Amino acid sequence: MQPLPDHLLDRLAQQQLPWGWAWAWFATLPAAAQLPWLAELVSYIQQTHPTPALVQQAVAEAPVKPTSTPLVLLRVYPLPQALTRIQQLPATEYPNAFRALLSVFRVADDHRRRTQCQHGCSHDWHNLPPLPPTIPTA
């Protein structure tokens, strides 16, 4: 198995890694290992402070069926409640939750980079070094 790249979730949000690779990688993890990744994504989302409009944009763009439980929760509940409820879903929903949460993080982080960090910033995660050649980029 290939090593995971540093700042995996940031690289996915910045589209430096293919999402198809991420789905395949996440699917190989046992449910007990998937849940901490969902919790980390929730933490990252909270740090980006997405507006309701950004959340709805992410829901519309998420690579998940619009009727999937995580997307319904994001549409129906305020973000803090939705994030809590998503983390409480059964393990069978974790893959959809990962895709939905990654979509929210990508949209919110992209917005933050274009607005608050548009003239450069000192955030390590916005100034990532290139990926090592052993990591797939396409």
Side-chain angles (χ1 to χ4, degrees):
M1 176 178 229
Q2 294 180 350
L4 292 178
D6 291 336
H7 297 280
L8 173 68
L9 297 176
D10 294 304
R11 290 185 185 279
L12 287 167
Q14 295 173 32
Q15 299 178 322
Q16 294 179 12
L17 287 169
W19 281 22
W21 174 87
W23 311 154
W25 162 76
F26 191 79
T28 66
L29 299 174
Q34 290 176 344
L35 190 56
W37 283 101
L38 296 179
E40 188 165 349
L41 259 175
V42 164
S43 175
Y44 283 29
I45 289 166
Q46 291 168 330
Q47 292 174 42
T48 62
H49 308 287
T51 64
L54 290 173
V55 172
Q56 294 314 308
Q57 176 187 342
V59 166
E61 296 175 6
V64 183
K65 279 178 42 177
T67 57
S68 71
T69 304
L71 292 185
V72 170
L73 293 172
L74 287 165
R75 274 195 303 275
V76 172
Y77 292 99
L79 184 62
Q81 277 185 283
L83 294 176
T84 298
R85 288 173 181 260
I86 288 170
Q87 291 179 91
Q88 296 169 345
L89 290 172
T92 56
E93 289 287 347
Y94 291 175
N96 285 339
F98 183 72
R99 291 177 182 209
L101 293 174
L102 189 55
S103 182
V104 173
F105 178 49
R106 184 195 61 77
V107 168
D109 187 61
D110 181 61
H111 176 76
R112 189 175 190 189
R113 281 184 283 115
R114 285 185 291 108
T115 57
Q116 297 173 9
C117 299
Q118 66 182 338
H119 300 295
C121 66
S122 61
H123 299 126
D124 291 346
W125 55 91
H126 288 165
N127 299 289
L128 298 173
L131 283 167
T134 58
I135 304 297
T137 57

